[in-house]
Amino acid sequence: MHENTVDSDVVFLHADSLFIRPNFHNAKIIRSLHDYVYEESLLSSLLLPADVTVVPSTYLKKTVETTVVMSNLRDLEDIVVIPNGVSGYLTPKTRSIPHRLKNRSNDDLIILFPHRADRKKGFKEAVNICNKLQAKINNKTVRLFIPFYNDDRERDESSYRYSELQQIINDLDTSNVVELHNWLDTDEVHRYLSLGDVVINPGAFVESFGLVPLESVLAGTPAVCSRVGALRDLEGIPGLYHVDYGDIDGFVEKIIEAINVDQSTLDDGKNHVETVYSIESMIDGYDEVMTGSYDKTKKMTLDEHHLVLAPWCYKNGNFIYNDYSSKFHHYPKLNDVFSFFPGTTINLNKFSSPDILMEINKAREEGCLTPLIV
């Protein structure tokens, strides 16, 4: 690869990684990051230079900026948000779509969980949600469809094995609700999503964009997802509902609301996704980045006397949810004097109470407060 890039003006590194980084001489380096969970993207952003970094969401932009500046390992380049393009298309291939989904009964309520087997994607939560949903809806048969590779191939510890999923289903006595079926090909996803009643995204995984709920809305199916990571950026889209992570009853209520939504709301959501997240807009964004001029580094510093709510956190009542701990944190004394809303700052010079200062330090240690970037 090194020889092929010697005369290049621009080198684009999709999902930049330490392992494929030779010396690109004087070429303009544009990289994209599509998660901020796995070590490849974390190390890339912290250790490797680039002229421009492309990310798919405002959430990821703020998270990367804050992390890199706080690390003090290098100066920050321009970080540009280009949302992923979301497309939907029908295909004549339907072999992986479950037969019972294609020939559903009028009494069926089909809930789709189209996620990989990562333990933080919310498999257990989905099963518990549908169990409670069935107990609340007597006139429908709740069926939770989950695609999966039907084998026990070696997986890393972050993912369930097929036998583990079966064990969870048996332990929770939900075999009458859950249906595992063969994994889907990419070109089958749109049709699959269009055949469900609701798509759910109940996990704690820190999403960097939110492709599944957007694809669902585009397919005309409402989606209910956890208020985690970049999924929070999608609040307000018609047909897309948010619930705090871990709130099983809240998910049940939102699913009931979603299945009763009027068609005009679903149409508005579909139009929104087609307009804001079009393939054409994504291509135009990359074209502008490839041909545009950007500052290679931006000198950003930390104001240690002013603190803000970390971009990977949000306020929920008297609690602060942290995406990376997957927990709600509570700072009762600090909560009395600071709103924790985005854009507001804590001026440390104005506080002298030992109790409040102790909570401020605790919030910093737990990653909920970060210094203001200037």
Side-chain angles (χ1 to χ4, degrees):
M1 183 172 68
H2 177 265
E3 291 77 10
N4 295 334
T5 61
V6 169
D7 297 322
S8 299
D9 295 315
V10 176
V11 175
F12 175 66
L13 301 173
H14 177 78
D16 187 20
S17 171
L18 287 172
F19 311 114
I20 58 169
R21 268 291 198 124
N23 180 5
F24 290 123
H25 299 286
N26 295 319
K28 176 181 177 181
I29 298 175
I30 300 173
R31 64 156 159 233
S32 65
L33 300 176
H34 297 274
D35 76 83
Y36 217 52
V37 175
Y38 303 114
E39 62 181 15
E40 290 89 345
S41 56
L42 293 167
L43 291 174
S44 170
S45 71
L46 291 170
L47 301 177
L48 300 178
D51 292 88
V52 182
T53 293
V54 176
V55 294
S57 64
T58 300
Y59 169 85
L60 193 55
K61 171 183 169 70
K62 292 179 178 178
T63 297
V64 173
E65 285 178 341
T66 300
T67 303
V68 173
V69 175
M70 286 183 63
S71 75
N72 200 32
L73 292 173
R74 65 179 187 84
D75 289 336
L76 191 69
E77 70 280 359
D78 276 306
I79 298 182
V80 179
V81 177
I82 302 178
N84 293 331
V86 181
S87 64
Y89 46 86
L90 296 178
T91 170
K93 295 197 314 179
T94 58
R95 65 180 183 278
S96 294
I97 296 177
H99 179 74
R100 278 170 289 182
L101 180 55
K102 290 187 290 182
N103 299 287
R104 54 180 299 172
S105 163
N106 289 333
D107 294 330
D108 287 344
L109 177 59
I110 304 297
I111 309 297
L112 303 179
F113 179 83
H115 309 286
R116 54 191 171 84
D118 188 291
R119 295 177 189 273
K120 300 200 76 173
K121 285 287 186 175
F123 174 81
K124 285 186 179 180
E125 289 87 346
V127 174
N128 283 320
I129 288 166
C130 289
N131 224 10
K132 282 203 168 187
L133 180 63
Q134 183 64 86
K136 195 156 189 173
I137 299 180
N138 298 320
N139 61 338
K140 292 284 187 180
T141 299
V142 176
R143 309 184 77 90
L144 174 62
F145 282 76
I146 301 176
F148 194 79
Y149 289 108
N150 190 2
D151 59 41
D152 250 337
R153 69 182 69 182
E154 283 298 317
R155 304 180 191 279
D156 63 43
E157 61 184 14
S158 69
S159 298
Y160 288 113
R161 294 186 178 188
Y162 181 75
S163 56
E164 289 181 284
L165 297 184
Q166 289 286 11
Q167 188 62 53
I168 292 170
I169 293 169
N170 293 335
D171 290 345
L172 296 176
D173 193 25
T174 52
S175 58
N176 61 322
V177 173
V178 182
E179 294 190 30
L180 300 178
H181 61 80
N182 290 337
W183 194 255
L184 300 168
D185 289 338
T186 302
D187 58 358
E188 296 169 326
V189 171
H190 184 77
R191 176 170 169 78
Y192 176 77
L193 294 176
S194 70
L195 294 175
D197 291 303
V198 179
V199 170
I200 58 174
N201 199 136
F205 187 85
V206 186
E207 303 287 355
S208 63
F209 178 59
L211 183 60
V212 168
L214 288 174
E215 286 182 324
S216 176
V217 171
L218 183 62
T221 302
V224 183
C225 53
S226 293
R227 195 174 277 113
V228 174
L231 296 176
R232 293 196 291 272
D233 287 357
L234 307 181
E235 294 205 47
I237 296 177
L240 207 163
Y241 303 83
H242 287 77
V243 181
D244 294 324
Y245 170 66
D247 184 358
I248 303 299
D249 291 332
F251 259 91
V252 171
E253 293 301 322
K254 285 298 180 182
I255 289 173
I256 293 173
E257 182 179 340
I259 62 177
N260 291 299
V261 69
D262 58 273
Q263 186 60 46
S264 63
T265 298
L266 295 178
D267 291 340
D268 289 344
K270 181 178 180 180
N271 291 335
H272 178 89
V273 174
E274 287 177 336
T275 302
V276 177
Y277 300 98
S278 69
I279 298 294
E280 292 75 17
S281 295
M282 180 184 69
I283 293 173
D284 289 344
Y286 275 99
D287 180 63
E288 184 176 343
V289 166
M290 297 288 185
T291 59
S293 175
Y294 293 87
D295 295 331
K296 188 162 186 177
T297 58
K298 299 169 66 177
K299 191 64 179 177
M300 303 175 78
T301 59
L302 300 175
D303 180 351
E304 294 285 356
H305 297 290
H306 291 83
L307 304 178
V308 296
L309 184 66
W312 47 83
C313 295
Y314 78 94
K315 179 180 173 63
N316 175 38
N318 292 325
F319 293 85
I320 304 298
Y321 181 80
N322 185 324
D323 291 326
Y324 287 93
S325 69
S326 302
K327 294 178 181 178
F328 286 97
H329 301 266
H330 188 39
Y331 312 105
K333 297 185 184 302
L334 182 57
N335 199 68
D336 289 338
V337 296
F338 180 60
S339 70
F340 282 103
F341 290 123
T344 57
T345 62
I346 295 177
N347 185 343
L348 292 179
N349 296 323
K350 293 185 177 181
F351 293 102
S352 58
S353 165
D355 290 340
I356 292 179
L357 290 174
M358 183 174 66
E359 284 197 355
I360 288 175
N361 288 333
K362 183 181 179 184
R364 295 187 70 170
E365 290 172 0
E366 293 177 339
C368 294
L369 289 177
T370 60
L372 177 67
I373 297 177
V374 294

